[in-house]
Amino acid sequence: MNTEIETPKPEVYDASDIQVLEGLEAVRKRPAMYIGDVSSRGLHHLVNEVVDNSIDEAMAGYCNRIEVDINEDNSITVRDNGRGIPVDMHPKLHKPAVEVVLTVLHAGGKFNKDSYKVSGGLHGVGVSCVNALSKKLRVEVYRDGKIYAQEYEKGKPVSELEVIGESDHTGTVVSFLPDDTIFTSTQYQFSVLEERMRELAFLNGGLEIQLTDYRDRDEDGNPRRESFHSAHGLVDFVRYLDANKEPLISDVIDIDTVRDDVPVEVAMTYNTDFNENIFTYVNNIHTGEGGTHLTGFRRALTRTLKKYADDSGILEKEKVEITGDDFREGLTAVISIKVAEPQFEGQTKTKLGNSEITGVVDSAVSDALTEYLEEHPKEARAIVDKVVLAAKARTAAKRAREMVQRKGPMFSGGLPGKLADCRSRDPEECELFLVEGDSAGGTAKLGRDSRYQAILPLRGKILNVEKAMPHRVFENKEIQSMYTALGVSVGTDEDPKALNYSKLRYHKVIIMTDADVDGAHIATLLLTFFFRHMRALVEEGYIYIANPPLYQCRTKSGDKIDYCFNDEDRADFIARYGAGEESKILTQRYKGLGEMDASQLWETTMDPQGRYLKQVTLENAVEADRVFSMLMGEDVEPRRDFIRDNATFATVDA
């Protein structure tokens, strides 16, 4: 038998087949490589890139006001009162410098230490990428007593840089319209931009940022507008984060110093909660994975507080063993440093790698914290008492965790008895539905595809983990069932509190509750649990929310039947098939999942071909922490205000 493989004759392949993408063509060809994705996240990232240029001017000391406008056509305008992008001819490229900045990747003043000592966007691709991904872009530069302007389409100049007027002001105005042939969404969300502008104002004390939405006007025609300004920077930031938490100490410890030419700012305080909330930034970039600055902070905090506790004799009297985690329970802190040449691990800039920064932050925090503890003995004692309580709670929580993990799926018969598991063992195709109640759980079991869909009914409302001691969380039977069913555990070699999900059994965890107020409450409790105790699953994109319909609508003749997921869908059905008259339409209101039969639940909520799933993502950890604290914490007043302010976005069925 001939086993030779015949080599196919190749088609002609020569130099003409080598594609060279010039200028900004590469950005338009592979936009996700430069801005992450082309969905709503990437769309909003365009604004951040332009604003970051203005922020760099502010950090250099030349700008104190930035204006961001969402225009009626969904274009964006960003203005600042900085120096204005240079307009003189570039010595090598023989083009105006502003045109070079807008059309050449890796071009900008940020590579020159004399222009910017520190900068957020060091790759030089920011504003040129925005230009490449915009249908139209217009830049105006106020500089040298003149106003210069130039226009672009899809990254290419369509006019020369020209003088259009005179002005005594300085600054830059960039207006751009995202290209709808590239982005899957071109609708800007005010709330998303609002969160980032607020964050930038906190990180740059004294800077004023104004956000205006000309698409949203009041009865008098005034556009929606919010201004952000922080006189005290990070101190105000920490107070904002802890606004819905009960303070342990009244002070916010403020550290603002320079060590080895590195500006170090830290604001920190303690509350009575059981969570650690530390947010780190480098040159205004949120480093979600921390890095060397976080390592330095934690090292200084542990060493300094332990020395104070040892010297005070409290630990010896309490007979407890303290770990680094105990010093951070109930801690809220923001760390912001400015580094001339930051080294980030990964393209997403989420972890700082400069090794010298560990010692810089360590010494700065250690000196300032030592001084604070000596000068504030009452607050120091409250912190140490909290540490002792945390150590005792950690020991109890460890016992409870071990109890859960001993019952885990690694042992025969370890899965929860009420779990209806799926047949597949491939986590990438497996789905786990967390279903409200045994009744709906029974229907879901009948309606599912048992090959890859598993059902875990949850009885009643799970524990509110926002207000519970850590060991109470692991003692809760419903939470135990989730840990065991998912196949996750707590604790790694590096971090005893970290979630170990290497044996996660499902890559889709779907929260499926009734489409009513109680269902929304249960979903919020579950989301709070995942955010506080399984955040890694949220960050990996494994958590989803099912979207069951509220109504089944049909004409009296029965020739038109449809499921309606909200009152707007129902009104649209009535308008289309009932000539606008509700009396001509028969409506079935689903008060709960259990009111649907198995085939209806499959068709509307579980069938991948027809269901609507909402993926839970973590766009802004700062805002998520604040909202969960407000909705699920002890303080009623902010929760009532939130409900009042957002009542117009909810519908109530009588």
Side-chain angles (χ1 to χ4, degrees), residues 25-60:
E25 292 177 32
V27 181
R28 292 184 60 82
K29 189 79 173 177
R30 297 285 185 270
M33 290 179 59
Y34 297 87
I35 61 169
D37 61 38
V38 292
S39 66
S40 178
R41 180 185 300 181
L43 180 75
H44 289 82
H45 186 77
L46 296 184
V47 182
N48 295 339
E49 289 288 0
V50 179
V51 172
D52 282 349
N53 281 357
S54 300
I55 292 292
D56 289 336
E57 281 287 281
M59 288 196 293

Side-chain angles (χ1 to χ4, degrees), residues 174 193 255 343 397 629:
V174 176
L193 296 179
I255 302 170
Q343 299 164 11
S629 297

Side-chain angles (χ1 to χ4, degrees), residues 530-599:
F530 283 116
F531 178 72
R532 293 300 185 198
H533 292 274
M534 293 190 183
R535 189 181 299 191
L537 302 191
V538 179
E539 293 169 342
E540 292 287 349
Y542 294 153
I543 308 300
Y544 294 80
I545 299 176
N547 189 31
L550 271 174
Y551 308 101
Q552 185 197 72
C553 294
R554 59 188 176 90
T555 57
K556 288 188 175 180
S557 62
D559 60 329
K560 299 293 181 182
I561 302 176
D562 205 354
Y563 294 102
C564 299
F565 291 84
N566 51 48
D567 286 325
E568 288 75 17
D569 288 350
R570 177 171 174 259
D572 182 60
F573 186 92
I574 293 171
R576 282 186 294 132
Y577 302 117
E581 296 182 25
E582 188 173 343
S583 59
K584 295 182 179 180
I585 300 297
L586 299 177
T587 300
Q588 180 182 359
R589 169 71 157 88
Y590 296 120
K591 294 182 178 179
L593 298 172
E595 292 193 2
M596 289 188 235
D597 61 34
S599 62

Side-chain angles (χ1 to χ4, degrees), residues 21-38 41-42 45-46 49 104-106 123-130 132-133 183 347-349:
L21 299 177
E22 298 180 354
L24 299 179
E25 292 177 32
V27 181
R28 292 184 60 82
K29 189 79 173 177
R30 297 285 185 270
M33 290 179 59
Y34 297 87
I35 61 169
D37 61 38
V38 292
R41 180 185 300 181
H45 186 77
L46 296 184
E49 289 288 0
V104 180
L105 293 177
H106 308 291
H123 299 317
V125 299
V127 73
S128 58
C129 279
V130 175
L133 301 176
F183 290 95
Q347 292 184 339
T348 54
K349 301 180 182 179

Side-chain angles (χ1 to χ4, degrees), residues 77-91:
T77 300
V78 178
R79 301 179 189 82
D80 68 48
N81 62 351
R83 291 170 289 184
I85 301 174
V87 294
D88 52 325
M89 298 299 288
H90 192 277

